Coordinates of all heavy atoms in Angstrom, one line a residue:
M1 N 2.1 19.7 -4.7 CA 3.6 19.5 -4.6 C 3.9 18.1 -5.1 O 3.1 17.1 -5.0 CB 4.0 19.5 -3.1 CG 5.4 19.3 -2.9 SD 6.1 19.6 -1.2 CE 5.3 18.2 -0.3
S2 N 5.1 18.0 -5.8 CA 5.4 16.6 -6.4 C 6.9 16.4 -5.9 O 7.6 17.3 -5.7 CB 5.3 16.5 -7.8 OG 6.1 17.5 -8.4
L3 N 7.3 15.1 -5.9 CA 8.6 14.7 -5.6 C 9.3 14.1 -6.8 O 8.6 13.3 -7.6 CB 8.6 13.7 -4.4 CG 8.0 14.2 -3.1 CD1 8.0 13.1 -2.1 CD2 9.0 15.4 -2.5
R4 N 10.6 14.4 -7.0 CA 11.3 13.7 -8.0 C 12.6 13.2 -7.4 O 13.4 13.8 -6.8 CB 11.8 14.8 -9.1 CG 12.6 14.2 -10.2 CD 13.1 15.1 -11.3 NE 13.7 16.3 -10.8 CZ 15.1 16.4 -10.7 NH1 15.8 15.5 -11.3 NH2 15.7 17.5 -10.2
P5 N 12.7 11.8 -7.2 CA 13.8 11.2 -6.6 C 15.1 11.4 -7.3 O 15.2 11.4 -8.6 CB 13.4 9.7 -6.5 CG 12.4 9.5 -7.6 CD 11.7 10.9 -7.8
L6 N 16.2 11.5 -6.6 CA 17.6 11.6 -7.1 C 18.3 10.4 -6.9 O 18.0 9.5 -6.1 CB 18.3 12.7 -6.3 CG 17.6 14.1 -6.4 CD1 18.3 15.1 -5.5 CD2 17.5 14.6 -7.9
H7 N 19.3 10.2 -7.8 CA 20.3 9.1 -7.7 C 19.6 7.8 -7.7 O 18.8 7.4 -8.6 CB 21.3 9.2 -6.5 CG 21.9 10.6 -6.5 ND1 22.9 11.0 -7.4 CD2 21.7 11.7 -5.7 CE1 23.2 12.2 -7.1 NE2 22.6 12.6 -6.1
D8 N 19.8 6.9 -6.8 CA 19.3 5.6 -6.7 C 18.0 5.5 -5.8 O 17.7 4.3 -5.3 CB 20.3 4.5 -6.3 CG 20.8 4.7 -4.9 OD1 20.7 5.9 -4.4 OD2 21.3 3.8 -4.3
R9 N 17.3 6.6 -5.6 CA 16.3 6.5 -4.6 C 15.0 6.4 -5.4 O 14.8 6.6 -6.7 CB 16.2 7.9 -3.9 CG 17.3 7.9 -2.9 CD 17.2 9.2 -2.1 NE 18.2 9.2 -1.0 CZ 19.5 9.4 -1.1 NH1 20.0 9.7 -2.3 NH2 20.2 9.5 0.0
L10 N 14.0 5.9 -4.7 CA 12.6 5.7 -5.3 C 11.6 6.1 -4.3 O 11.8 6.1 -3.1 CB 12.5 4.2 -5.8 CG 12.7 3.1 -4.8 CD1 11.5 2.2 -4.8 CD2 14.0 2.4 -5.3
I11 N 10.4 6.4 -4.9 CA 9.3 6.8 -4.0 C 8.2 5.7 -4.1 O 7.9 5.2 -5.2 CB 8.7 8.1 -4.4 CG1 9.8 9.3 -4.3 CG2 7.4 8.4 -3.7 CD1 9.4 10.5 -4.9
V12 N 7.8 5.2 -2.9 CA 7.0 4.1 -2.8 C 5.7 4.5 -2.0 O 5.9 5.2 -1.0 CB 7.6 2.9 -2.1 CG1 6.6 1.8 -1.8 CG2 8.8 2.5 -2.9
K13 N 4.5 4.0 -2.5 CA 3.3 4.3 -1.8 C 3.0 2.9 -1.1 O 2.8 1.9 -1.8 CB 2.1 4.8 -2.7 CG 0.9 4.9 -2.0 CD -0.2 5.4 -2.9 CE -1.5 5.6 -2.1 NZ -2.6 5.8 -3.0
R14 N 2.8 2.9 0.3 CA 2.6 1.6 1.0 C 1.2 1.2 0.5 O 0.2 1.8 0.2 CB 2.5 2.0 2.4 CG 3.8 2.2 3.1 CD 3.6 2.3 4.6 NE 4.8 2.8 5.2 CZ 5.7 2.1 5.8 NH1 5.5 0.8 5.7 NH2 6.8 2.6 6.3
V15 N 1.1 -0.2 0.3 CA -0.1 -0.9 0.0 C -0.8 -1.3 1.3 O -0.2 -1.9 2.1 CB 0.2 -2.1 -0.9 CG1 -1.1 -2.9 -1.2 CG2 0.9 -1.6 -2.2
D16 N -2.0 -1.0 1.5 CA -2.8 -1.4 2.6 C -2.9 -2.9 2.7 O -3.2 -3.6 1.7 CB -4.2 -0.8 2.7 CG -4.1 0.7 2.8 OD1 -3.2 1.2 3.3 OD2 -5.1 1.4 2.2
Q17 N -2.7 -3.5 3.9 CA -2.8 -4.8 4.1 C -4.2 -5.1 4.6 O -5.0 -4.3 5.1 CB -1.7 -5.4 5.2 CG -0.4 -5.3 4.6 CD 0.6 -6.0 5.5 OE1 0.3 -6.1 6.7 NE2 1.7 -6.5 5.0
E18 N -4.5 -6.5 4.6 CA -5.8 -7.0 5.1 C -6.0 -6.5 6.5 O -5.2 -6.8 7.4 CB -6.0 -8.4 4.9 CG -7.3 -9.0 5.1 CD -8.2 -8.6 3.9 OE1 -7.8 -8.4 2.8 OE2 -9.4 -8.4 4.3
T19 N -7.2 -6.0 6.8 CA -7.5 -5.7 8.2 C -8.4 -6.7 8.9 O -9.0 -6.5 10.0 CB -8.3 -4.3 8.3 OG1 -9.4 -4.4 7.6 CG2 -7.4 -3.1 7.8
R20 N -8.5 -7.8 8.3 CA -9.4 -8.9 8.8 C -8.5 -10.2 8.6 O -8.0 -10.5 7.7 CB -10.6 -9.1 7.9 CG -11.6 -10.0 8.4 CD -12.9 -10.0 7.5 NE -13.6 -8.7 7.5 CZ -14.6 -8.4 8.3 NH1 -15.2 -9.4 9.0 NH2 -15.2 -7.3 8.2
T21 N -8.5 -11.0 9.8 CA -7.8 -12.3 9.7 C -8.6 -13.3 8.9 O -9.7 -13.1 8.6 CB -7.5 -12.8 11.1 OG1 -8.8 -13.0 11.7 CG2 -6.7 -11.7 12.0
S22 N -8.0 -14.5 8.6 CA -8.6 -15.5 7.9 C -9.8 -16.0 8.6 O -10.7 -16.6 8.1 CB -7.7 -16.6 7.6 OG -7.1 -17.2 8.8
S23 N -9.9 -15.9 10.0 CA -11.0 -16.4 10.7 C -12.0 -15.3 10.9 O -13.2 -15.6 11.5 CB -10.6 -16.8 12.2 OG -9.9 -15.7 12.8
G24 N -11.9 -14.2 10.4 CA -12.9 -13.1 10.3 C -12.8 -12.0 11.4 O -13.6 -11.1 11.5
I25 N -11.7 -12.1 12.3 CA -11.5 -11.1 13.2 C -11.0 -9.8 12.6 O -10.0 -9.8 11.8 CB -10.5 -11.5 14.3 CG1 -11.1 -12.8 15.0 CG2 -10.2 -10.5 15.4 CD1 -10.1 -13.5 15.9
V26 N -11.6 -8.7 12.9 CA -11.1 -7.4 12.4 C -10.1 -6.8 13.3 O -10.1 -6.7 14.5 CB -12.3 -6.4 12.4 CG1 -11.8 -5.0 11.8 CG2 -13.4 -6.9 11.5
I27 N -9.0 -6.3 12.6 CA -7.8 -5.7 13.4 C -7.9 -4.3 13.3 O -8.0 -3.7 12.2 CB -6.4 -6.2 12.7 CG1 -6.3 -7.8 12.8 CG2 -5.3 -5.6 13.5 CD1 -5.2 -8.3 11.9
P28 N -7.9 -3.6 14.5 CA -8.1 -2.2 14.5 C -6.9 -1.5 14.0 O -5.7 -2.1 14.0 CB -8.3 -1.8 15.9 CG -7.8 -3.0 16.7 CD -8.0 -4.1 15.8
E29 N -6.9 -0.3 13.4 CA -5.7 0.3 12.6 C -4.7 0.5 13.7 O -3.5 0.5 13.3 CB -6.3 1.6 12.0 CG -5.2 2.2 11.2 CD -5.7 3.4 10.3 OE1 -6.9 3.2 9.8 OE2 -5.0 4.4 10.2
S30 N -5.0 0.9 15.0 CA -4.0 1.2 15.9 C -3.2 0.0 16.3 O -2.0 0.1 16.7 CB -4.7 1.8 17.1 OG -5.6 0.8 17.7
A31 N -3.8 -1.3 16.2 CA -3.0 -2.4 16.5 C -2.3 -3.1 15.3 O -1.4 -3.9 15.4 CB -4.0 -3.5 17.0
A32 N -2.7 -2.6 14.1 CA -2.0 -3.2 12.8 C -0.6 -2.7 12.6 O -0.4 -1.5 13.0 CB -2.9 -2.9 11.7
E33 N 0.2 -3.5 12.1 CA 1.6 -3.1 11.8 C 1.6 -2.3 10.4 O 0.7 -2.5 9.7 CB 2.5 -4.3 11.7 CG 2.8 -5.0 12.9 CD 3.7 -6.2 12.8 OE1 4.3 -6.4 11.7 OE2 3.9 -6.9 13.8
K34 N 2.6 -1.4 10.2 CA 2.7 -0.8 9.0 C 3.0 -1.8 7.9 O 3.8 -2.7 8.1 CB 3.8 0.3 9.0 CG 3.4 1.4 9.8 CD 4.3 2.6 9.5 CE 3.9 3.9 10.2 NZ 4.8 4.9 10.0
P35 N 2.4 -1.7 6.8 CA 2.7 -2.7 5.8 C 4.2 -2.6 5.2 O 4.7 -1.5 5.2 CB 1.8 -2.3 4.6 CG 1.2 -1.0 4.9 CD 1.4 -0.8 6.3
D36 N 4.7 -3.7 4.8 CA 6.1 -3.8 4.2 C 6.1 -4.0 2.8 O 7.0 -4.4 2.2 CB 6.9 -4.8 5.0 CG 6.3 -6.1 5.0 OD1 5.2 -6.2 4.4 OD2 6.8 -7.2 5.6
Q37 N 5.0 -3.7 2.2 CA 4.8 -3.8 0.7 C 4.3 -2.4 0.2 O 3.6 -1.7 0.9 CB 3.8 -4.8 0.3 CG 4.2 -6.2 0.5 CD 3.2 -7.2 -0.1 OE1 2.6 -6.9 -1.1 NE2 3.1 -8.3 0.6
G38 N 4.8 -2.2 -1.0 CA 4.3 -0.8 -1.6 C 4.5 -1.0 -3.1 O 5.0 -1.8 -3.7
E39 N 3.9 0.1 -3.7 CA 3.9 0.2 -5.2 C 4.9 1.4 -5.6 O 4.9 2.5 -4.9 CB 2.6 0.6 -5.8 CG 2.5 0.7 -7.3 CD 1.2 1.1 -7.7 OE1 0.2 1.1 -7.0 OE2 1.0 1.5 -8.9
V40 N 5.9 1.1 -6.4 CA 6.8 2.1 -6.8 C 6.0 3.2 -7.7 O 5.4 3.0 -8.7 CB 7.9 1.5 -7.7 CG1 8.9 2.6 -8.2 CG2 8.6 0.4 -6.9
I41 N 6.2 4.5 -7.2 CA 5.6 5.6 -7.8 C 6.5 6.3 -8.7 O 6.1 6.8 -9.8 CB 5.0 6.6 -6.7 CG1 4.0 5.9 -5.8 CG2 4.4 7.9 -7.4 CD1 2.8 5.4 -6.5
A42 N 7.8 6.5 -8.3 CA 8.8 7.2 -9.1 C 10.2 6.7 -8.8 O 10.4 6.2 -7.7 CB 8.7 8.7 -8.8
I43 N 11.1 6.7 -9.8 CA 12.4 6.2 -9.6 C 13.3 7.2 -10.1 O 13.2 7.9 -11.2 CB 12.6 4.9 -10.5 CG1 11.6 3.8 -10.0 CG2 14.1 4.4 -10.4 CD1 11.7 2.6 -10.8
G44 N 14.5 7.4 -9.4 CA 15.5 8.3 -9.8 C 16.3 7.8 -11.0 O 16.1 6.6 -11.3
P45 N 17.1 8.5 -11.6 CA 17.9 8.1 -12.8 C 19.0 7.0 -12.5 O 19.5 6.5 -13.5 CB 18.6 9.4 -13.3 CG 18.7 10.2 -12.1 CD 17.5 9.8 -11.3
G46 N 19.3 6.8 -11.3 CA 20.4 5.8 -11.0 C 21.6 6.5 -10.4 O 21.9 7.6 -10.7
K47 N 22.4 5.7 -9.7 CA 23.7 6.3 -9.1 C 24.8 6.1 -10.1 O 24.7 5.4 -11.2 CB 24.0 5.7 -7.8 CG 24.3 4.2 -7.8 CD 24.6 3.8 -6.3 CE 24.8 2.3 -6.3 NZ 25.0 1.9 -4.9
R48 N 25.9 6.8 -9.9 CA 27.1 6.7 -10.8 C 28.1 5.8 -10.2 O 28.3 5.7 -9.0 CB 27.6 8.1 -11.0 CG 26.7 9.0 -11.7 CD 27.3 10.2 -12.2 NE 26.4 11.1 -12.8 CZ 26.1 11.1 -14.1 NH1 26.7 10.3 -14.9 NH2 25.3 12.0 -14.6
D49 N 28.8 5.1 -11.0 CA 30.0 4.3 -10.6 C 31.3 5.1 -10.5 O 31.1 6.3 -10.7 CB 30.2 3.0 -11.5 CG 30.6 3.4 -12.9 OD1 30.9 4.6 -13.3 OD2 30.6 2.5 -13.8
S50 N 32.3 4.4 -10.1 CA 33.6 5.1 -10.1 C 34.1 5.9 -11.3 O 34.9 6.8 -11.2 CB 34.7 4.3 -9.4 OG 34.9 3.2 -10.3
D51 N 33.7 5.4 -12.5 CA 34.0 6.0 -13.7 C 33.1 7.1 -14.1 O 33.3 7.7 -15.2 CB 34.1 5.0 -14.8 CG 35.1 3.9 -14.5 OD1 36.1 4.2 -13.9 OD2 35.0 2.8 -15.0
G52 N 32.1 7.4 -13.4 CA 31.1 8.4 -13.6 C 29.9 8.0 -14.6 O 29.2 8.7 -14.9
K53 N 29.9 6.8 -14.9 CA 28.8 6.2 -15.7 C 27.7 5.8 -14.8 O 27.8 5.4 -13.7 CB 29.2 4.9 -16.5 CG 30.4 5.1 -17.4 CD 30.8 3.9 -18.1 CE 32.0 4.1 -19.0 NZ 32.5 2.8 -19.4
R54 N 26.5 6.1 -15.4 CA 25.2 6.0 -14.6 C 24.9 4.5 -14.6 O 24.9 3.8 -15.7 CB 24.1 6.7 -15.2 CG 22.9 6.8 -14.2 CD 21.9 7.9 -14.6 NE 22.4 9.2 -14.7 CZ 22.5 10.0 -13.7 NH1 22.3 9.7 -12.5 NH2 22.9 11.3 -13.9
I55 N 24.6 3.9 -13.4 CA 24.0 2.6 -13.3 C 22.5 2.6 -13.3 O 21.9 3.2 -12.4 CB 24.5 2.0 -11.9 CG1 26.0 2.0 -11.9 CG2 24.0 0.6 -11.8 CD1 26.6 1.6 -10.6
E56 N 21.9 2.1 -14.2 CA 20.4 2.1 -14.5 C 19.7 1.3 -13.2 O 20.2 0.2 -12.9 CB 19.9 1.5 -15.7 CG 20.4 2.4 -17.0 CD 19.7 3.7 -17.0 OE1 18.4 3.7 -16.7 OE2 20.4 4.7 -17.4
P57 N 18.6 1.8 -12.7 CA 17.9 1.1 -11.6 C 17.2 -0.2 -12.3 O 16.9 -0.3 -13.4 CB 16.8 2.0 -11.1 CG 17.1 3.3 -11.8 CD 18.1 3.1 -13.0
D58 N 17.1 -1.3 -11.4 CA 16.5 -2.5 -11.8 C 15.0 -2.5 -11.8 O 14.4 -3.3 -12.3 CB 17.1 -3.6 -11.0 CG 18.5 -4.0 -11.3 OD1 19.0 -3.8 -12.4 OD2 19.1 -4.5 -10.3
L59 N 14.5 -1.6 -11.0 CA 13.0 -1.5 -10.7 C 12.4 -0.6 -11.8 O 12.9 0.2 -12.4 CB 12.8 -0.9 -9.4 CG 13.3 -1.8 -8.2 CD1 13.2 -1.0 -7.0 CD2 12.6 -3.1 -8.1
K60 N 11.1 -0.8 -11.9 CA 10.2 0.0 -12.8 C 9.0 0.6 -12.1 O 8.6 0.0 -11.1 CB 9.7 -0.8 -13.9 CG 10.8 -1.4 -14.8 CD 10.3 -2.3 -15.8 CE 11.4 -2.8 -16.8 NZ 12.4 -3.5 -16.1
V61 N 8.5 1.7 -12.5 CA 7.3 2.4 -12.0 C 6.2 1.4 -12.1 O 6.0 0.7 -13.2 CB 7.0 3.7 -12.6 CG1 5.7 4.2 -12.2 CG2 8.1 4.7 -12.4
G62 N 5.4 1.2 -11.0 CA 4.2 0.4 -11.0 C 4.5 -1.0 -10.4 O 3.6 -1.7 -10.1
E63 N 5.7 -1.3 -10.2 CA 6.0 -2.6 -9.6 C 5.7 -2.7 -8.2 O 5.8 -1.6 -7.4 CB 7.5 -3.1 -9.8 CG 7.8 -3.4 -11.2 CD 9.2 -3.9 -11.3 OE1 10.2 -3.2 -10.8 OE2 9.5 -5.0 -12.0
R64 N 5.4 -3.8 -7.6 CA 5.1 -3.9 -6.2 C 6.3 -4.6 -5.5 O 6.8 -5.6 -6.1 CB 3.8 -4.9 -6.0 CG 3.3 -4.8 -4.7 CD 2.0 -5.6 -4.7 NE 1.3 -5.4 -3.3 CZ 0.0 -5.6 -3.2 NH1 -0.7 -6.0 -4.2 NH2 -0.5 -5.3 -2.0
V65 N 6.8 -3.9 -4.5 CA 8.0 -4.3 -3.9 C 7.9 -4.6 -2.4 O 6.9 -4.1 -1.7 CB 9.1 -3.3 -4.0 CG1 9.5 -3.1 -5.5 CG2 8.7 -1.9 -3.5
L66 N 8.8 -5.4 -1.8 CA 8.9 -5.6 -0.3 C 10.1 -4.9 0.1 O 11.1 -4.8 -0.6 CB 9.1 -7.2 -0.1 CG 8.1 -8.1 -0.3 CD1 8.5 -9.5 -0.1 CD2 6.9 -7.8 0.8
F67 N 9.9 -4.3 1.3 CA 11.1 -3.5 1.9 C 11.1 -3.8 3.4 O 10.0 -4.3 4.0 CB 10.9 -2.1 1.6 CG 9.6 -1.5 1.8 CD1 9.2 -1.0 3.0 CD2 8.7 -1.4 0.8 CE1 8.0 -0.4 3.2 CE2 7.5 -0.8 0.9 CZ 7.2 -0.3 2.2
G68 N 12.0 -3.4 4.1 CA 12.2 -3.6 5.5 C 11.2 -2.7 6.3 O 10.9 -1.6 5.8
K69 N 10.8 -3.1 7.4 CA 9.8 -2.4 8.2 C 10.3 -0.9 8.5 O 9.5 0.0 8.6 CB 9.6 -3.1 9.5 CG 8.8 -4.3 9.3 CD 8.2 -4.8 10.7 CE 7.4 -6.1 10.5 NZ 6.2 -6.0 9.8
Y70 N 11.7 -0.8 8.8 CA 12.2 0.5 9.3 C 12.9 1.2 8.2 O 13.7 2.1 8.5 CB 12.9 0.4 10.5 CG 12.1 -0.2 11.6 CD1 12.3 -1.5 12.0 CD2 11.1 0.5 12.2 CE1 11.6 -2.1 13.1 CE2 10.3 -0.2 13.2 CZ 10.6 -1.5 13.6 OH 9.8 -2.0 14.5
A71 N 12.8 0.8 6.9 CA 13.6 1.3 5.8 C 13.1 2.6 5.3 O 11.8 2.9 5.4 CB 13.7 0.3 4.7
G72 N 13.8 3.5 4.9 CA 13.4 4.7 4.2 C 13.0 5.9 5.1 O 13.1 5.8 6.3
Q73 N 12.6 6.9 4.4 CA 12.2 8.1 5.1 C 10.7 8.4 4.7 O 10.4 8.4 3.5 CB 13.0 9.3 4.6 CG 12.5 10.6 5.1 CD 12.8 10.8 6.6 OE1 13.8 10.3 7.1 NE2 11.8 11.4 7.3
S74 N 9.9 8.5 5.7 CA 8.4 8.8 5.4 C 8.1 10.2 5.2 O 8.6 11.1 6.0 CB 7.7 8.2 6.7 OG 6.3 8.2 6.4
V75 N 7.4 10.6 4.2 CA 7.0 12.0 3.9 C 5.5 12.0 3.6 O 4.9 11.0 3.1 CB 7.9 12.6 2.7 CG1 9.2 12.8 3.1 CG2 7.7 11.7 1.5
K76 N 4.9 13.1 3.8 CA 3.5 13.3 3.5 C 3.4 14.4 2.4 O 3.9 15.4 2.5 CB 2.7 13.8 4.7 CG 1.5 13.0 4.9 CD 0.8 13.4 6.2 CE -0.2 12.2 6.5 NZ -1.0 12.4 7.6
V77 N 2.7 14.0 1.3 CA 2.5 14.9 0.1 C 1.1 14.9 -0.2 O 0.5 13.9 -0.5 CB 3.3 14.4 -1.1 CG1 3.1 15.2 -2.3 CG2 4.8 14.3 -0.8
D78 N 0.5 16.1 -0.2 CA -0.9 16.3 -0.4 C -1.7 15.3 0.3 O -2.8 14.7 -0.2 CB -1.2 16.1 -1.9 CG -0.4 17.2 -2.8 OD1 -0.2 18.3 -2.2 OD2 -0.1 17.0 -3.9
G79 N -1.4 15.1 1.6 CA -2.3 14.2 2.5 C -2.0 12.7 2.3 O -2.5 11.8 2.9
T80 N -1.1 12.3 1.4 CA -0.8 10.9 1.2 C 0.7 10.6 1.8 O 1.6 11.3 1.5 CB -0.7 10.6 -0.3 OG1 -2.0 11.0 -1.0 CG2 -0.5 9.2 -0.6
E81 N 0.7 9.6 2.5 CA 2.0 9.2 3.1 C 2.9 8.4 2.1 O 2.4 7.4 1.5 CB 1.8 8.3 4.4 CG 3.1 8.1 5.1 CD 3.0 7.3 6.4 OE1 1.9 7.5 7.0 OE2 3.9 6.7 6.8
L82 N 4.0 8.8 1.7 CA 4.9 8.2 0.8 C 6.2 7.8 1.5 O 6.5 8.3 2.6 CB 5.2 9.1 -0.3 CG 4.1 9.5 -1.1 CD1 4.4 10.5 -2.3 CD2 3.3 8.4 -1.8
L83 N 7.0 6.9 0.9 CA 8.2 6.4 1.5 C 9.3 6.7 0.4 O 9.1 6.3 -0.6 CB 8.1 5.0 1.9 CG 9.0 4.4 2.8 CD1 9.0 5.0 4.2 CD2 8.8 2.9 2.9
V84 N 10.4 7.4 0.9 CA 11.5 7.5 0.0 C 12.6 6.5 0.5 O 13.2 6.5 1.6 CB 12.1 8.9 0.1 CG1 13.3 9.1 -0.8 CG2 11.0 10.0 -0.2
L85 N 13.0 5.6 -0.5 CA 13.9 4.5 -0.2 C 15.0 4.5 -1.2 O 14.9 5.1 -2.2 CB 13.2 3.1 -0.4 CG 12.0 2.7 0.3 CD1 11.4 1.5 -0.2 CD2 12.4 2.4 1.8
R86 N 16.2 3.9 -0.8 CA 17.2 3.7 -1.7 C 16.9 2.3 -2.4 O 16.2 1.5 -1.9 CB 18.6 3.5 -0.9 CG 19.2 4.8 -0.5 CD 20.5 4.5 0.1 NE 21.2 5.8 0.4 CZ 21.9 6.4 -0.5 NH1 22.0 6.0 -1.7 NH2 22.4 7.6 -0.2
E87 N 17.3 2.2 -3.6 CA 17.1 0.9 -4.4 C 17.6 -0.3 -3.5 O 17.0 -1.4 -3.5 CB 17.8 0.9 -5.7 CG 17.3 -0.2 -6.6 CD 17.9 -0.1 -8.0 OE1 18.8 0.6 -8.2 OE2 17.4 -0.9 -8.8
E88 N 18.7 -0.2 -2.9 CA 19.3 -1.3 -2.0 C 18.4 -1.7 -0.8 O 18.5 -2.7 -0.3 CB 20.6 -1.0 -1.6 CG 20.8 0.2 -0.7 CD 22.1 0.7 -0.5 OE1 22.9 0.6 -1.4 OE2 22.4 1.2 0.6
D89 N 17.4 -0.8 -0.4 CA 16.5 -1.1 0.6 C 15.4 -2.1 0.3 O 14.7 -2.6 1.2 CB 15.9 0.2 1.3 CG 17.0 1.0 2.0 OD1 18.0 0.4 2.4 OD2 16.7 2.2 2.2
V90 N 15.3 -2.2 -1.0 CA 14.1 -3.1 -1.5 C 14.7 -4.5 -1.5 O 15.7 -4.8 -2.0 CB 13.7 -2.7 -3.0 CG1 12.8 -3.7 -3.6 CG2 13.1 -1.3 -3.0
V91 N 13.8 -5.4 -0.9 CA 14.2 -6.8 -0.7 C 13.9 -7.7 -1.8 O 14.6 -8.5 -2.3 CB 13.6 -7.3 0.7 CG1 13.9 -8.7 0.9 CG2 14.0 -6.4 1.9
A92 N 12.6 -7.4 -2.4 CA 12.3 -8.3 -3.5 C 11.1 -7.5 -4.3 O 10.4 -6.6 -3.7 CB 11.6 -9.6 -3.0
V93 N 10.8 -8.0 -5.4 CA 9.7 -7.5 -6.3 C 8.6 -8.7 -6.2 O 8.9 -9.8 -6.4 CB 10.1 -7.4 -7.8 CG1 8.9 -7.0 -8.6 CG2 11.2 -6.3 -7.9
V94 N 7.4 -8.2 -5.9 CA 6.3 -9.2 -5.7 C 5.7 -9.4 -7.2 O 5.3 -8.5 -7.8 CB 5.1 -8.6 -4.8 CG1 4.1 -9.5 -4.7 CG2 5.8 -8.3 -3.4
T95 N 5.6 -10.7 -7.5 CA 5.0 -11.1 -8.8 C 3.9 -11.9 -8.5 O 3.8 -12.6 -7.5 CB 6.0 -11.8 -9.8 OG1 6.4 -12.9 -9.1 CG2 7.1 -10.9 -10.1
Q96 N 2.8 -11.8 -9.4 CA 1.6 -12.7 -9.1 C 1.2 -13.5 -10.3 O 1.6 -13.3 -11.4 CB 0.4 -11.7 -8.9 CG 0.6 -11.0 -7.6 CD -0.5 -10.1 -7.2 OE1 -1.4 -9.9 -8.0 NE2 -0.4 -9.5 -6.0

C-alpha cells in the first residue's frame, strides 16, 4: 500500500531520537517521548488560492523538519508508522 498526499499535506517518517543521555543513561522506549522531527517522504501538489491558482509547497522530499508533538494524523503503512501533516503544521526545516 502507498499513500499520495492531497492539497497541502505531506507525509513524514519520524526520525528516531537518541535513547542514551549525554551521561550514558539508557532511556527505555516506554519512557521516551515521541520524536518531534521527521523526514519528508511525500508532498501533495499544494492548495489553491481564492482565484483557483495552485500555491506550490515550500518543502521538498528528503528534508528534515520539526513539527508539534500532537500535530498530524498517525497512520501505519506496511508496518511503518507515518505521519500525515498539513504544511502549516511544520515549524521549521532542520539544516546541518
Side-chain angles (χ1 to χ4, degrees):
M1 179 170 73
S2 64
L3 296 176
R4 183 177 57 94
L6 301 175
H7 308 292
D8 65 334
R9 289 183 174 78
L10 52 130
I11 298 175
V12 174
K13 181 178 180 187
R14 289 185 191 264
V15 177
D16 293 332
Q17 288 189 339
E18 189 68 35
T19 58
R20 187 180 295 260
T21 64
S22 58
S23 60
I25 298 172
V26 177
I27 301 171
E29 191 172 316
S30 61
E33 293 182 6
K34 285 191 174 183
D36 53 359
Q37 289 187 31
E39 181 182 347
V40 177
I41 304 297
I43 300 175
K47 64 181 176 180
R48 296 190 182 270
D49 64 9
S50 59
D51 296 330
K53 295 178 184 172
R54 192 166 305 274
I55 301 170
E56 294 292 321
D58 290 332
L59 300 171
K60 294 175 182 55
V61 172
E63 286 186 314
R64 195 171 189 161
V65 295
L66 285 174
F67 49 85
K69 288 193 185 293
Y70 304 107
Q73 175 68 38
S74 187
V75 294
K76 225 172 201 183
V77 176
D78 298 332
T80 305
E81 187 176 335
L82 300 174
L83 198 60
V84 180
L85 298 168
R86 286 187 171 272
E87 187 179 17
E88 63 194 28
D89 291 337
V90 173
V91 179
V93 175
V94 179
T95 58
Q96 295 180 356

